[in-house]
Amino acid sequence: MTTTPGSVAQTTTGVAAGLATLYFLRPVLIPFFLAVLLRILISGIVSVVVRLLPRAPKWLVLVATAAIVGFTAYSIFIITLQGISDLIQQSSDLPAQLDRLIRSAAVGFGRKFDLATVIGLIDLPQLEHSLAAWLGNAVSMAFLTLMFLVFMLLGAMTNTEPKILRITTSEARANSQRLVLNKIVHGVQAYLISQTAINLAIAVLSALVFRIAELPNTAFWAVTVFLLAFMPVVGPFVASVVPALFAALHSDSITVPLGVFVLTLSIFQIAHNLVLPKLQAKSTNTDPLVGLFALGIWTLVWGVPGAILSTPLTVLVMVIAAQFQSSRWLAILISHDGAPDAALPPSPAEK
């Protein structure tokens, strides 16, 4: 394959135009992409269950899986809202407690550090107003996501083939598009299933750490860890630091929050560096530097939802770009090993 300057310029222009569109239409596109990813995840789980239970009616498996995933997403949403509300109430006591712990740990260093004064520089009323506005947007986003997902599932039960394949007049072209679409779906499914499974294991182990440390609202912190685990590099650090800070509110020693931080970060490192590479196909592993750059781009475009969705969206972009000659160079740059679809799981149409 030869990459021409024209194809690079065309792809670069398309990416720039796409990012601009994503930014201005984010109130609708964020819930739509959330629904798409949930739909792909549900489809992947259904495929696994059908292989394990071949006699089970596929429609029944689809309905049961959708119900479980929907209830789980709803529970995560409610736990997150309640947890954030509780954190806002506790945040006023955090500076003084942290200041006390730091002073007790800094005895003998001959320096004074007034954390409360530093925190006082933050406009807390404005911060609380921003959080309240974010919670309101989150509620509307969750409702739109649910509506999109319901219609996608209903369409999947009535239509056996996407409408995009019916647009083409050539059967050969339709078959080619069908193969490309299957590769895209199965590549993203491979990532979502493995990443969701490992994130769930990280959240469960972290919840045990929080329980031992007697950190209140363990369910909220476990959900926070689960969501932040989707964020590359920054997510594990934030998911380790924030619970440790609030553990300081309920501890008279700096040992407990320090232990929460070290143990949680260790769980992330073991899971991401030892376990996850063995579960995921090579094609779903993005380059770490590109992943960090994508985190900044998606956060700039979509804010907090973009940060959480940065890795699955980047994987989606990589898998799509790998299927077309004009954009394959972009997929190679995003991939970790330079072969974005070398280990792509075969689709049913290719078996």
Side-chain angles (χ1 to χ4, degrees):
M1 183 198 70
T2 302
T3 301
T4 64
S7 64
V8 174
Q10 183 180 9
T11 303
T12 304
T13 304
V15 170
L19 288 176
T21 303
L22 291 173
Y23 177 78
F24 288 108
L25 298 181
R26 61 189 182 279
V28 176
L29 291 181
I30 291 177
F32 177 77
F33 274 101
L34 280 171
V36 169
L37 292 176
L38 286 174
R39 174 67 185 90
I40 293 176
L41 177 62
I42 291 172
S43 178
I45 296 175
V46 169
S47 299
V48 173
V49 174
V50 169
R51 284 198 299 268
L52 296 176
L53 303 173
R55 296 185 179 181
K58 188 174 181 178
W59 68 268
L60 181 60
V61 175
L62 176 61
V63 172
T65 304
I68 294 173
V69 172
F71 178 76
T72 302
Y74 171 79
S75 301
I76 289 175
F77 180 72
I78 296 300
I79 291 173
T80 302
L81 290 183
Q82 184 61 47
I84 292 176
S85 177
D86 294 341
L87 290 187
I88 293 175
Q89 296 176 4
Q90 299 176 21
S91 60
S92 59
D93 300 328
L94 183 61
Q97 177 67 358
L98 289 177
D99 191 35
R100 185 183 66 79
L101 291 178
I102 291 175
R103 286 176 181 274
S104 65
V107 173
F109 289 94
R111 294 182 179 273
K112 293 183 179 180
F113 179 71
D114 190 359
L115 182 64
T117 302
V118 177
I119 299 296
L121 299 176
I122 301 176
D123 189 353
L124 292 180
Q126 179 62 33
L127 180 60
E128 292 179 358
H129 177 74
S130 300
L131 285 175
W134 180 84
L135 291 177
N137 293 333
V139 172
S140 61
M141 187 184 304
F143 178 77
L144 279 177
T145 302
L146 177 62
M147 296 300 297
F148 280 132
L149 181 59
V150 169
F151 280 102
M152 288 178 185
L153 291 174
L154 291 176
M157 297 178 65
T158 56
N159 297 325
T160 58
E161 193 171 67
K163 294 179 180 178
I164 189 173
L165 298 179
R166 300 181 180 181
I167 298 177
T168 59
T169 56
S170 170
E171 183 64 24
R173 185 173 179 82
N175 290 332
S176 175
Q177 291 181 350
R178 188 180 292 107
L179 290 175
V180 170
L181 187 60
N182 286 336
K183 284 185 177 182
I184 293 172
V185 171
H186 283 78
V188 177
Q189 276 181 356
Y191 165 78
L192 287 177
I193 293 177
S194 60
Q195 188 71 53
T196 301
I198 197 66
N199 287 3
L200 183 60
I202 292 173
V204 171
L205 293 176
S206 299
L208 294 177
V209 174
F210 302 150
R211 178 64 67 181
I212 294 173
E214 298 182 350
L215 181 62
N217 207 350
T218 302
F220 166 72
W221 292 115
V223 167
T224 301
V225 168
F226 174 78
L227 294 176
L228 290 176
F230 284 98
M231 295 173 55
V233 184
V234 178
F237 182 76
V238 175
S240 304
V241 169
V242 178
L245 290 176
F246 281 89
L249 280 176
H250 309 279
S251 174
D252 296 328
S253 171
I254 199 171
T255 305
V256 174
L258 185 61
V260 170
F261 169 74
V262 171
L263 289 176
T264 306
L265 189 60
S266 298
I267 292 171
F268 270 104
Q269 294 303 314
I270 294 173
H272 284 179
N273 295 327
L274 298 180
V275 180
L276 191 58
K278 297 180 180 180
L279 293 180
Q280 285 188 344
K282 293 181 180 179
S283 62
T284 58
N285 285 335
T286 57
D287 185 87
L289 183 59
V290 174
L292 189 60
F293 177 76
L295 173 64
I297 293 296
W298 286 113
T299 304
L300 181 64
V301 174
W302 280 357
V304 175
I308 296 175
L309 295 174
S310 62
T311 299
L313 288 173
T314 303
V315 171
L316 180 62
V317 171
M318 182 187 69
V319 176
I320 292 176
Q323 309 309 315
F324 305 97
Q325 293 297 324
S326 61
S327 60
R328 186 172 176 79
W329 64 270
L330 178 62
I332 294 174
L333 289 178
I334 296 175
S335 66
H336 180 66
D337 56 4
D341 56 1
L344 197 66
S347 63
E350 298 176 306
K351 293 182 179 179

